[in-house]
Amino acid sequence: MATLEAPPMPLRLHSGSFVNEPMIDFSKGENARKMRAAIEKVRAELGREYDMVIGGKRIRTAEKIRSINPARPSQLVGVHQNAGTAEVEPAMQAALAAFPAWSRRTPEERASFVFHVADTCVLLPAV
């Protein structure tokens, strides 16, 4: 079974202690426009179905998990695959196959990878 190798990327570590995002003045037209665009981008993604990925392969299951907005129960946020016993063995085999390479990564490389994933998965662009 093929495993997904992370592409080489520049090392990026957390740059210090936690700092809250600065306050944004939404009375400024450009800031308000960016926020409206970000909200529209997220709205366009509502209800999307997300594949499960095991060993680099995208998988869809018959059983689904429907995520709803608790503040608006009629609003479907997304649909996710519900892994069952059939997905356990392939997931374990993929994890075991990936472990040797991952275990040789330094803590800094692992942290950098996590930051890269976070940057890639962010839904709202910076205002």
Side-chain angles (χ1 to χ4, degrees):
M1 177 181 300
T3 60
L4 182 63
E5 284 292 324
M9 66 184 84
L11 195 63
R12 184 181 82 98
L13 301 177
H14 193 330
S15 58
S17 58
F18 174 81
V19 178
N20 282 323
E21 285 290 321
M23 297 295 246
I24 297 173
D25 183 354
F26 291 108
S27 68
K28 293 183 179 177
E30 181 64 11
N31 290 343
R33 184 196 62 73
K34 286 181 179 180
M35 180 55 82
R36 281 192 296 276
I39 290 169
E40 285 309 310
K41 180 179 179 183
V42 170
R43 277 194 183 127
E45 293 288 319
L46 290 175
R48 177 177 162 209
E49 184 167 348
Y50 296 88
D51 295 347
M52 180 184 321
V53 179
I54 298 176
K57 295 179 182 176
R58 294 186 168 278
I59 299 169
R60 292 206 172 187
T61 60
E63 295 289 322
K64 309 291 182 191
I65 299 170
R66 296 170 51 84
S67 177
I68 61 164
N69 177 350
R72 188 178 297 162
S74 64
Q75 186 178 58
L76 179 65
V77 175
V79 178
H80 305 274
Q81 308 311 305
N82 189 3
T85 56
E87 289 74 38
V88 172
E89 189 60 30
M92 285 301 302
Q93 292 304 316
L96 289 170
F99 180 75
W102 183 253
S103 68
R104 289 188 297 273
R105 303 272 186 199
T106 66
E108 292 82 10
E109 288 174 311
R110 293 177 193 189
S112 182
F113 180 74
V114 171
F115 289 127
H116 173 74
V117 169
D119 289 342
T120 304
C121 295
V122 170
L123 293 176
L124 295 174
V127 176

